[in-house]
Amino acid sequence: MVIEWLKIKVAPEMREQYIQKDAEIWTAFLSEYPGFLGKEVWINPDNSTEVILVIRWASREAWKSVPSDRLAAIEQQFAQQLAGSYPIIEAGEYQVRKFPQS
């Protein structure tokens, strides 16, 4: 499993709307792809401008197989719905390692 990790900067008064629209638009879109396993949204109780998205993919290949033109179209739709853009201020990729239990 691969984790796509994104830290987004959001105005505090827009945070809940951002999270709602993210679920309606981005999560619905990603759910169309077989390698998408799920998504969590983390909020920082000490920083109301920070939203972390943790997206689980079956493999890196599944994640990277989402067509870039479709990603761009969804990003445009998302920005229009929220009347603005919300910068990704950090991004990362992680592999989930599981070890056999003895």
Side-chain angles (χ1 to χ4, degrees), residues 16-76:
E16 291 308 311
Q17 185 178 4
Y18 178 93
I19 292 167
Q20 178 185 354
K21 289 296 178 186
D22 177 75
E24 289 174 13
I25 296 170
W26 272 108
T27 305
F29 166 73
L30 295 175
S31 296
E32 298 174 10
Y33 292 88
F36 175 75
L37 300 177
K39 181 175 174 181
E40 294 177 351
V41 177
W42 298 352
I43 56 172
N44 183 340
D46 298 322
N47 183 348
S48 61
T49 68
E50 185 178 288
V51 175
I52 304 290
L53 304 176
V54 179
I55 305 147
R56 294 183 311 280
W57 294 95
S59 66
R60 188 172 200 279
E61 293 75 25
W63 170 22
K64 298 299 181 177
S65 72
V66 179
S68 59
D69 61 328
R70 299 265 343 260
L71 290 170
I74 291 297
E75 178 57 33
Q76 183 177 25

